[in-house]
Amino acid sequence: MEIKNISPAPVVSVKPIVLSAAPGRGEDLQVRVSAPTTGRNLPIIVFSHGSGSSLEGYGPLADFWAAHGFVVIQPTHLDSRTVGLPKDDPRIPRIWRFRVEDMKSILDQLDLLESAVPGLGGRLDRSRIAAAGHSFGGQTAGNLLGLRVLNPETKKEEDLSDPRIKAGVLFATAGQGGDSLSAFAAENMPHLNVNFAHMTTPSLVIAGDHDDVPRKYQLTVRGADWMTDPYYLSPGAESLLTLFGAEHSLGGIAGYEVKETSDENPERVALIQRVTLAYLRHALDIEHASWSAVQKTLSESANPIGRIESK
């Protein structure tokens, strides 16, 4: 699965770049920026990590995307283990909202982030920005794409979409709330009550058909199919990549040799890298041949490890 007109480049990564805290956040926002050392008009991916992770995670994605022409920006959200908020911290109920505000702070301060990376000045294409995220980070990215959360405090749906975001990729992301939630989740995680009807930004959804984490952690009464809701219920979700045998870490996207990976599979990760790169280049109107080629290769494979379906 070759990606058209692009070869891997050396990558420079700078961390932490510190952005001032938004009102109520309490902690300054720490950010990592990774970029290829060559090329101009570089598109941008803002990536939201899963619960507990940080800007240190997701190297298999961030390194690959940066080496293939993207500037990848990774915040550390307040729920990171590196922040260490106590369980009774009053900010906990609003973590979902702080996460979205983190992503918007990054978009608001691209000048500062650009200037903090040696050699990056004048090389960003701000008309081509994508949001991506894994697990809780998928919901965070989804909010920028148009996903609406029923705010537990106001009992109203929150529209936190951002027109600067032109495409998205959601990895192992929670599905709809309501009757799909467990009693535990309904009581303790009301932010999982979401509405996908307004998620109109073009996006790719990735799910593992053996992802049992939502049930294990009492999030849903359903199985792995819950994680396909963002595709089936969102008008903007163009395609779904289902990975056969994949669990919540989808073969190891959360990091190199991390303990969260229960289904280590380099072949699966390599497929995700190529599919997401091809999709983002397609969705951001950079080139389209690679996306067509990836879909064709999977459909014609004698022993496929995944399936792409599109609306």
Side-chain angles (χ1 to χ4, degrees):
M1 297 182 193
E2 296 298 323
I3 304 298
K4 187 177 177 63
N5 297 331
I6 188 167
S7 299
V11 171
V12 60
S13 184
V14 177
K15 64 165 188 179
I17 303 170
V18 180
L19 304 181
S20 298
R25 192 180 195 274
E27 312 280 341
D28 286 338
L29 176 60
Q30 296 197 13
V31 177
R32 177 178 191 151
V33 179
S34 302
T37 57
T38 59
R40 303 192 65 81
N41 299 319
L42 302 173
I44 300 164
I45 301 171
V46 186
F47 185 86
S48 178
H49 63 72
S51 180
S53 189
S54 71
L55 58 76
E56 301 288 356
Y58 299 91
L61 295 178
D63 294 347
F64 183 85
W65 289 334
H68 289 82
F70 281 82
V71 174
V72 184
I73 306 176
Q74 298 172 262
T76 291
H77 299 302
L78 282 176
D79 59 289
S80 172
R81 289 184 292 271
T82 64
V83 176
L85 291 188
K87 293 182 179 180
D88 61 350
D89 191 286
R91 290 168 289 181
I92 295 285
R94 297 191 72 246
I95 286 289
W96 70 273
R97 181 67 179 263
F98 284 122
R99 279 173 149 267
V100 182
E101 291 173 359
D102 290 347
M103 303 284 270
K104 289 178 176 284
S105 291
I106 286 170
L107 297 175
D108 291 342
Q109 299 182 69
L110 285 176
D111 285 346
L112 188 156
L113 295 171
E114 180 181 0
S115 65
V117 180
L120 188 58
R123 297 170 59 214
L124 298 182
D125 183 349
R126 301 178 189 220
S127 70
R128 291 187 167 103
I129 305 176
H134 175 238
S135 194
F136 197 0
Q139 178 175 305
T140 303
N143 275 272
L144 300 177
L145 304 172
L147 169 70
R148 295 187 181 180
V149 173
L150 183 64
N151 189 318
E153 297 172 338
T154 65
K155 308 302 180 185
K156 296 180 180 179
E157 286 185 357
E158 293 276 0
D159 179 8
L160 300 174
S161 59
D162 197 302
R164 293 171 289 188
I165 300 297
K166 306 302 183 185
V169 181
L170 307 186
F171 299 84
T173 298
Q176 66 180 344
D179 293 342
S180 291
L181 297 183
S182 67
F184 173 83
E187 180 179 354
N188 295 283
M189 301 178 182
H191 63 272
L192 292 177
N193 285 299
V194 298
N195 183 355
F196 291 99
H198 304 280
M199 202 177 99
T200 57
T201 305
S203 53
L204 168 68
V205 176
I206 302 178
D209 65 3
H210 279 55
D211 186 350
D212 197 40
V213 163
R215 183 176 292 174
K216 177 182 177 182
Y217 288 100
Q218 303 181 58
L219 303 185
T220 181
V221 296
R222 293 163 56 190
D225 70 298
W226 190 53
M227 316 298 267
T228 65
D229 283 356
Y231 171 69
Y232 290 110
L233 302 179
S234 300
E238 301 178 298
S239 298
L240 169 67
L241 171 62
T242 302
L243 297 161
F244 305 147
E247 299 176 10
H248 198 59
S249 287
L250 304 174
I253 65 168
Y256 302 108
E257 301 180 356
V258 297
K259 64 181 181 180
E260 288 90 345
T261 301
S262 57
D263 63 332
E264 185 175 5
N265 188 313
E267 183 184 9
R268 189 177 294 142
V269 173
L271 174 64
I272 291 170
Q273 290 171 332
R274 286 165 175 77
V275 168
T276 55
L277 179 63
Y279 175 76
L280 287 170
R281 287 171 62 82
H282 158 75
L284 295 174
D285 200 24
I286 297 169
E287 59 92 10
H288 305 282
S290 299
W291 177 234
S292 298
V294 162
Q295 295 179 85
K296 182 180 179 182
T297 299
L298 262 187
S299 67
E300 296 177 350
S301 174
N303 296 292
I305 60 174
R307 176 185 68 248
I308 297 176
E309 54 192 285
S310 299
K311 296 173 181 175

